[in-house]
């Protein structure tokens, strides 16, 4: 069951917001095209909050060590991270952003 996160207008383009659903930290991101993504908020390299990082196009970069993660797949695109982060399904309904807290992992 999807959980309402916020109104779409509350998400800044090229920025991430940290939310916690249950005990799962999630980075909700509005990319440069205006699309909304949700990926695990914890960098797999250094246990750092990704939502404090930098958004560029369809990537989220960890501020601590520079690993970039695909917002679409959760896969790391640069070292030092080599393990993916989970991805969560996002929907926008009547101007509200919803996230399904069931993670998927890239294969």
């Amino acid at each position: 069951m999807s959980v309402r996160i916020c109104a779409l207008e509350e998400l800044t383009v090229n920025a991430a917001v940290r939310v916690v659903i249950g005990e799962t930290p999630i980075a909700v991101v509005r990319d440069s095209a205006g699309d909304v993504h949700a990926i695990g908020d914890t960098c797999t390299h250094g246990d750092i909050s990704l939502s404090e990082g930098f958004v560029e196009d369809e990537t989220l970069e960890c501020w601590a060590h520079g690993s970039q993660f695909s917002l679409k797949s959760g896969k790391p695109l640069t070292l030092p991270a080599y393990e993916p982060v989970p991805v969560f399904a996002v929907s926008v309904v009547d101007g509200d952003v919803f996230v399904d807290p069931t993670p998927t992992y890239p294969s």
Side-chain angles (χ1 to χ4, degrees):
M1 176 182 227
S2 292
V3 176
R4 183 188 180 278
I5 301 302
C6 63
L8 179 61
E9 65 187 26
E10 294 177 58
L11 292 177
T12 303
V13 172
N14 286 334
V17 178
R18 182 179 195 266
V19 299
V20 178
I21 299 176
E23 296 182 12
T24 305
I26 300 171
V28 179
V29 181
R30 192 166 184 189
D31 68 18
S32 57
D35 297 327
V36 181
H37 308 271
I39 64 172
D41 186 49
T42 306
C43 179
T44 55
H45 170 256
D47 200 29
I48 302 291
S49 175
L50 290 174
S51 61
E52 297 176 19
F54 312 100
V55 178
E56 184 176 338
D57 298 323
E58 295 176 353
T59 65
L60 179 55
E61 181 180 326
C62 179
W63 64 268
H65 300 109
S67 291
Q68 293 180 342
F69 294 87
S70 166
L71 292 171
K72 290 185 174 187
S73 70
K75 291 181 180 179
L77 304 174
T78 60
L79 295 173
Y82 57 89
E83 293 291 325
V85 293
V87 175
F88 301 86
V90 175
S91 58
V92 178
V93 179
D94 296 328
D96 289 325
V97 177
F98 292 84
V99 172
D100 182 335
T102 306
T104 60
Y105 292 88
S107 51

